[in-house]
Amino acid sequence: MEDGPRLRALKRTTYLLLCAGFQPRQRGYRYLREAVWISRKEPEMLKSVTKHLYPEVAKRFETTDKQVERAIRCAIETAWLKGNCDTLVLIFGDLFVDRNVRPTNSEVIKTLTDNVF
């Protein structure tokens, strides 16, 4: 059975996130994967993450956009503090200058979307 585009994208996103040190047990990890898929299908969502992307992810997981934003932020924070430095540099390049400077949720979603597709 051949994988569809969504499954291939989720596999690639999962691979990148795990290699970078994101923790699958965190809700933000799942929200981030979904946000990358949505951003791929509808790139204009990246222009207004808080007004369009977070509410769409929240709708799919039956939660609120505020919880989605916070969970993604926490997942990024964990990866930045405990993740694999070499992989973070490979994936995020200039965004990973210092462990003390965490990028925004939007920057991470955009970078992952660009790297997956």
Side-chain angles (χ1 to χ4, degrees), residues 38-102:
I38 293 168
S39 299
R40 169 62 176 131
K41 284 181 58 184
E42 302 174 45
E44 66 277 357
M45 289 279 203
L46 288 170
K47 294 178 183 168
S48 184
V49 173
T50 55
K51 286 189 176 186
H52 299 292
L53 185 59
Y54 292 156
E56 181 60 32
V57 172
K59 185 170 76 173
R60 293 179 185 204
F61 285 92
E62 297 178 358
T63 187
T64 68
D65 56 334
K66 301 280 188 230
Q67 288 175 327
V68 168
E69 187 274 332
R70 185 172 188 278
I72 290 174
R73 186 170 11 98
C74 289
I76 294 168
E77 183 77 23
T78 300
W80 237 246
L81 294 175
K82 299 178 182 177
N84 183 328
C85 288
D86 295 334
T87 306
L88 288 167
V89 168
L90 282 173
I91 296 171
F92 296 102
D94 292 341
L95 290 179
F96 189 77
V97 175
D98 181 1
R99 279 202 185 273
N100 298 322
V101 181
R102 184 188 61 80

